[in-house]
Amino acid sequence: MSRIRRLRTASISLRLHRITVKFIILALTLLLLSGSLMVPSSAQTTSSQVNISPYVTSAVSSVNQNQIMGYAQALSNFGTRVTGYKGNLEAAKYIESVLKADGLGVINQSFTAAVPIDEGSWASFGGNNYTVYALWPNGPVPGATPTYVSGPLVYVGNGTLSDMDGKQINGSIVLENFNSGSNWLYAADLGAKAIIFLAPTSTTQLQSLEKTISEPLYMPRLYAEGKAASALLAAANKGITVSVHDVMQWENVTSYNIIGVVNGTTDSWSPVPAIAPGGQDALGISTLLAAAKYFEQNRPYRTIWIVALSGFWEGEVGPFAFVQKNLYSPKNLAGITKIWMVEGLSLSSATPSMDALYFGWLNGLSLQMTTESKYLNYLQPEIQGFIQDAGLPLNLSDGLPTVDFPMYGAGFDWGTQPSFYMIPTEPVTQTGTLGFTLMT
């Protein structure tokens, strides 16, 4: 098992203590907002007029961390779930099978997306070929080599200018530690033919994001792990010439959004697309699968959809397809059916805290005026009420809020997130429909 795979799998257990809180809040939010308090709509009864304590108790007692862990492990075992790869389709089939087994109706909605596909990149020296993996393109430009490129292999550590001092970079293949931020740009500026990153023992989302840029810079960038990484490092110490072939191309592929329907009374990303098992990304849908089982056994008054979205990291093409096919459907526009609130769930290792967010980097600050009123005047007090009814503190022992509600005004408060982010409900919020995401 690769270091990234071990890292992603191990991270699942590290996040479980947060899942309990997150699942409770998710369940309670949907219980209230879906009208599952069994109050007829004609009664015009509000949540403040109903004792929700019994429903809180029921939702809390239903939490099964082993079940969530099982779902997450199964999804991680499919390998990379980046849109366009085999694991993405296998994960969709698995999610569909779980929802059907739990008695839900399933809607399978397809969409097409242009994604970068690594069709078998390699590095070769000393008569041996080693599998390496192409990194995500810079803007629209993949690092594909027409055949292969060759050059002396030079190890530059963390890729700082001092690390490269006295070394021949121009015309060489550069070997660099993955946890080196965006220092790879120095090697590109100095004329490197290609850059190979060595797999780390642990890393962060920010380190991954810094391995690609939005500008259309052509630079073959590859990722080596395990035996390939060890062999390349040994070769660099001997000054051996290596050849590399980056085989990444854009392809139009089909992916699926899976919707589980609970009638009233279904992606991962990595800067290395071919090895993105997404253990952490699997936690969100795993928690939703547990929620689906709960709601099928405790039917709400109004219909709930449990949605597994694909195509998130490809410019949110999957979430946009969901909006186009459902929020803009003739029935929804005519009011025959009405999707009036969408809640997202996003788990990551970015922060141990949880934020309730209604827009992110995809939309910038363009939605502030009308959405913030709904968000602060309605969602914030409702969710805080759920936290208290569940017997949870509003603040954690470290002083951070159990759920933070960022203010997006002049202070540009991004909550507890360490960097800019996207959330799956941004396309929903663009339509004026109430949407937010719970994010760690």
Side-chain angles (χ1 to χ4, degrees), residues 359-368 408 414 426:
F359 67 81
W361 186 239
L362 186 71
N363 288 329
L365 298 175
S366 60
L367 300 175
Q368 178 185 339
Y408 294 97
W414 291 81
E426 290 186 70

Side-chain angles (χ1 to χ4, degrees), residues 308-319:
L309 294 169
S310 184
F312 174 76
W313 291 107
E314 293 74 36
E316 298 206 21
V317 62

Side-chain angles (χ1 to χ4, degrees), residues 50 141 144 218 220 351:
V50 179
V141 180
Y218 173 74
T351 170

Side-chain angles (χ1 to χ4, degrees), residues 22 25 33 65 75 95 139 151 165 222 225 235 256-257 327 341 351 362 371 378 393 396 399 418 437 440:
K22 183 175 280 288
I25 295 170
L33 298 182
Q65 291 191 3
L75 288 165
I95 292 167
D165 190 29
L222 301 152
E225 59 179 9
Y256 300 89
N257 292 328
L327 271 68
M341 195 279 292
T351 170
L362 186 71
T371 308
Y378 177 64
L396 303 175
T437 293
T440 60

Side-chain angles (χ1 to χ4, degrees), residues 102-389:
D102 287 338
L104 280 73
V106 175
I107 301 171
N108 194 319
Q109 295 181 341
S110 65
F111 63 90
T112 58
V115 296
I117 302 295
D118 184 352
E119 299 189 356
S121 301
W122 50 261
S124 178
F125 58 92
N128 296 311
N129 278 9
Y130 297 90
T131 297
V132 292
Y133 303 93
L135 268 70
W136 200 265
N138 289 322
V141 180
T145 54
T147 53
Y148 62 85
V149 294
S150 300
L153 189 62
V154 179
Y155 177 62
V156 297
N158 289 329
T160 65
L161 290 176
S162 60
D163 287 332
M164 291 186 282
D165 190 29
K167 297 180 179 179
Q168 180 63 38
I169 304 301
N170 187 32
S172 298
I173 308 296
V174 167
L175 191 65
E176 185 171 317
N177 297 333
F178 186 83
N179 289 343
S180 56
S182 58
N183 289 341
W184 63 273
L185 289 168
Y186 292 136
D189 286 341
L190 292 172
K193 285 186 175 180
I195 301 168
I196 305 174
F197 293 101
L198 295 174
T201 55
S202 64
T203 192
T204 65
Q205 184 183 42
L206 184 59
Q207 283 286 349
S208 298
L209 292 173
E210 289 180 323
K211 298 305 175 291
T212 182
I213 58 176
S214 57
E215 291 76 15
L217 172 67
Y218 173 74
M219 172 52 62
R221 289 158 297 119
L222 301 152
Y223 181 91
E225 59 179 9
K227 292 181 179 180
S230 299
L232 285 165
L233 186 57
N237 291 332
K238 297 176 182 178
I240 292 176
T241 294
V242 303
S243 299
V244 297
H245 191 13
D246 184 323
V247 195
M248 174 169 279
Q249 298 291 343
W250 288 98
E251 296 183 15
N252 287 318
V253 302
T254 299
S255 191
Y256 300 89
N257 292 328
I258 309 299
I259 302 171
V261 181
V262 180
N263 291 309
T265 320
T266 170
D267 183 37
S268 69
W269 182 84
S270 165
V272 193
I275 47 172
Q280 296 178 70
D281 287 342
L283 293 178
I285 185 56
S286 299
T287 306
L288 286 176
L289 289 174
K293 187 177 186 69
Y294 171 81
F295 287 120
E296 183 59 28
Q297 296 171 350
N298 300 268
R299 290 294 183 97
Y301 181 73
R302 297 186 178 89
T303 297
I304 294 175
W305 283 6
I306 306 295
V307 184
L309 294 169
S310 184
F312 174 76
W313 291 107
E314 293 74 36
E316 298 206 21
V317 62
F320 275 111
F322 172 82
V323 166
Q324 185 65 37
K325 292 187 177 182
N326 298 290
L327 271 68
Y328 287 111
S329 69
K331 286 186 176 181
N332 198 61
L333 292 175
I336 299 172
T337 60
K338 186 62 178 176
I339 299 173
W340 73 274
M341 195 279 292
V342 179
E343 178 179 348
L345 189 62
S346 179
L347 289 162
S348 75
S349 61
T351 170
S353 300
M354 187 191 311
D355 295 323
L357 308 166
Y358 66 88
F359 67 81
W361 186 239
L362 186 71
N363 288 329
L365 298 175
S366 60
L367 300 175
Q368 178 185 339
M369 299 302 293
T370 58
T371 308
E372 191 163 275
S373 176
K374 298 178 186 178
Y375 174 78
L376 295 177
N377 295 337
Y378 177 64
L379 286 176
Q380 181 172 348
E382 291 289 357
I383 294 178
Q384 287 177 335
F386 294 149
I387 295 171
Q388 291 176 313
D389 284 319

